[in-house]
Amino acid sequence: MAGLPEPVQDLITALERLPGIGPKTASRLAFYLLRAPEDISTGLAEALFALKRNTSFCPVCFNITLAGQPMCEICADLERDESSLCVVEEPLDVLVLERLGVYKGRYHVLHGVLSPIEGIGPDDLKIRPLLERVKTGKIKEVILATNPSMEGDATALYLRQQMLPYGVRTTRLARGLPVGGDLEYADQNTLLRALSGRQEMS
Ligand SMILES: [Zn+2]
């Protein structure tokens, strides 16, 4: 039986490696691109190249920043409160919180949550650099704004334990966020309430 031409198969294999894309979706996308006008596939290819070439992660907070910048805009902004640190799972969460326009502290992006089932432990996340930041003593409050999911809660609890020796105040976003949901799907009012009503972790 004749197989698919190699370029088609290569694309399907590459797409299948993306999260949430199974073999069926991968084939559907590959055949779509095969039939679509060329500017769609070249546009996609160029965007993919530019993604890695033109961006990097901020060495301080691990948010996304433009390549060649020593740190991200938020870390570089001296007006922002150095004594408050908001810990989030993904760079997208920074964007969501920034849109509220009320938080004037700094961020730290973990790049995931602890998940024993998926084999994700503390060393797979940006936890060590977070503790290094806390150790400097400049930070007075750490807002643990991981998602209100089982993993998000467990990660917040773990981080609180790790921070105990440094005498920093740890707070968690108030309940009211949809349980199991992501911050990015919460509406602005709910998120505002959760942030302003954040509670001391005990
Ligand atoms: Zn930064």
Side-chain angles (χ1 to χ4, degrees), residues 58 61 72 75:
C58 172
C61 71
C72 76
C75 289

Side-chain angles (χ1 to χ4, degrees), residues 96-97 100 173 177 183 186-195:
V96 170
L97 288 163
L100 296 177
L173 293 186
L177 290 169
L183 289 192
D187 69 90
Q188 294 227 330
N189 284 331
T190 309
L191 202 51
L192 266 174
R193 272 201 305 274
L195 184 63

Side-chain angles (χ1 to χ4, degrees), residues 58-63 65 71-76 107 133:
C58 172
V60 181
C61 71
F62 299 95
N63 193 9
T65 182
M71 61 180 88
C72 76
E73 272 177 43
I74 296 173
C75 289
Y107 292 94
R133 290 178 82 179

